[in-house]
Amino acid sequence: MISKHSHEQSDRGEGVEVVQNEPFEDPVHGQGQFTEKRVYLNSKLPTWARAVVPKIFYVTEKAWNYYPYTITGKCCSFLPKFSIHIETKYEDNKGSNDNIFEIELKDQEREVCFVDIAYDEIPERYYKESEDLRYFQSEKTKRGILQEGWRDTQEPIMCSYKLVTVKFEVWGLQTRVEQFVHKVVRDVLLLGHRQAFAWVDEWIDMTLDDVRDYERNMHEKTNIKVCNEQQEHSTTNPSSLDDIEIHDKASVCGFFSFCSIFPFSVSYF
């Protein structure tokens, strides 16, 4: 579903280019999947951010999926001191594990946000009636409609816990960038997880081999969508990192915990 979402959000040379997607073995977490992507998103930035970035830039995302534990890291192609680190754990509960990541942080260093995939407001440009979980019901599983208070009544149920750390080391922009990034991350998590449930009939019968075939096919289509436009744009609008001057020496690090509750069982995901 991430592959489908990436394809939908890619257009006019912006979106997600998949660089690698292959099996990976970790001595601690065991067998998993490693994915590397480049996310081109200049036009999606606010005006104040576009004023300080090149016309073409991308965020590199590297993810290690050892379900039910995943690690995702993001860094910027021209800001080496900017990074986002996301840890994810899945449990069969309603978001009741207050310290799933077993970390000790001061209260002012962490904010806990509960993401309600049915009733939290999403940006208007992303709204689709077919993905409105207040009215959606799965034909295959009969899950949904999600009514007010569904988190306390829905079975089966699963929570996706995410620990999001943002680090930015550019003087004068750190607070604004940190707040902007956390808002974007929350919006992306809300939209992506709404879609994961709304698209359940598309993936519920897939085997893991089906998933890999689907990913491979979708990645090829998305890369064509993004890379062809990027090549055309780069020949007409060259940009040089030499044109960018960055004054750093200040840093900020923010921690957010996100809890997304889903009406599915772990065995299905």
Side-chain angles (χ1 to χ4, degrees):
M1 293 302 94
I2 292 175
S3 299
K4 179 178 176 179
H5 173 83
S6 298
H7 185 73
E8 283 194 351
Q9 297 300 314
S10 299
D11 191 26
R12 298 180 182 178
E14 296 197 345
V16 182
E17 173 193 358
V18 179
V19 181
Q20 282 182 269
N21 183 30
E22 56 191 32
F24 186 84
E25 187 80 23
D26 184 86
V28 176
H29 302 295
Q31 187 174 358
Q33 191 80 4
F34 170 74
T35 308
E36 180 179 348
K37 302 175 182 177
R38 292 178 179 176
V39 186
Y40 300 87
L41 39 62
N42 191 286
S43 70
K44 293 181 173 60
L45 296 176
T47 303
W48 59 264
R50 289 200 298 269
V52 297
V53 302
K55 291 182 178 179
I56 298 179
F57 86 102
Y58 58 83
V59 172
T60 298
E61 175 188 293
K62 295 183 179 181
W64 293 263
N65 186 348
Y66 311 105
Y67 181 84
Y69 175 65
T70 68
I71 305 168
T72 304
K74 304 175 190 286
C75 59
C76 184
S77 57
F78 84 105
L79 280 179
K81 296 188 177 181
F82 168 71
S83 63
I84 305 172
H85 181 83
I86 303 175
E87 291 182 64
T88 304
K89 290 186 178 182
Y90 301 89
E91 284 191 350
D92 277 341
N93 57 49
K94 303 172 183 179
S96 55
N97 191 338
D98 294 331
N99 195 26
I100 188 172
F101 295 102
E102 300 178 351
I103 56 174
E104 294 184 3
L105 292 173
K106 297 178 182 178
D107 291 341
Q108 65 267 28
E109 292 180 324
R110 183 174 64 172
E111 178 180 343
V112 178
C113 301
F114 282 90
V115 179
D116 186 328
I117 61 174
Y119 287 89
D120 282 359
E121 186 175 350
I122 67 168
E124 185 178 352
R125 65 186 181 277
Y126 294 134
Y127 177 82
K128 293 182 181 180
E129 186 176 354
S130 62
E131 296 171 1
D132 193 329
L133 306 186
R134 298 171 298 175
Y135 312 110
F136 167 82
Q137 184 176 50
S138 163
E139 292 183 4
K140 291 184 178 180
T141 68
K142 304 305 178 185
R143 298 173 190 173
I145 299 170
L146 301 185
Q147 300 177 346
E148 287 275 11
W150 64 270
R151 189 172 126 194
D152 297 322
T153 59
Q154 183 71 40
E155 292 290 344
I157 196 165
M158 179 179 77
C159 182
S160 168
Y161 295 86
K162 294 183 181 287
L163 179 65
V164 181
T165 305
V166 178
K167 187 174 182 181
F168 193 60
E169 299 182 354
V170 177
W171 176 258
L173 290 175
Q174 63 269 27
T175 301
R176 178 180 284 188
V177 170
E178 183 193 28
Q179 292 174 345
F180 172 74
V181 170
H182 279 302
K183 181 182 183 304
V184 169
V185 169
R186 191 189 189 284
D187 286 347
V188 169
L189 293 177
L190 174 59
L191 176 62
H193 291 85
R194 278 169 63 100
Q195 291 176 331
F197 182 57
W199 298 342
V200 61
D201 289 342
E202 298 182 37
W203 57 258
I204 192 69
D205 296 324
M206 281 186 172
T207 65
L208 188 56
D209 287 339
D210 292 335
V211 171
R212 297 302 174 218
D213 288 340
Y214 181 91
E215 285 180 334
R216 192 177 302 109
N217 181 53
M218 194 59 69
H219 292 164
E220 290 175 358
K221 291 180 179 179
T222 306
N223 283 358
I224 291 172
K225 224 176 168 184
V226 174
C227 297
N228 287 353
E229 289 284 344
Q230 281 291 336
Q231 290 173 359
E232 292 176 9
H233 189 78
S234 63
T235 59
T236 57
N237 296 282
S239 95
S240 170
L241 296 186
D242 295 334
D243 295 333
I244 307 298
E245 183 179 5
I246 299 171
H247 303 280
D248 62 323
K249 296 303 179 191
S251 66
V252 63
C253 193
F255 301 87
F256 274 63
S257 293
F258 293 92
C259 300
S260 301
I261 317 296
F262 301 90
F264 357 115
S265 144
V266 165
S267 60
Y268 294 137
F269 205 89

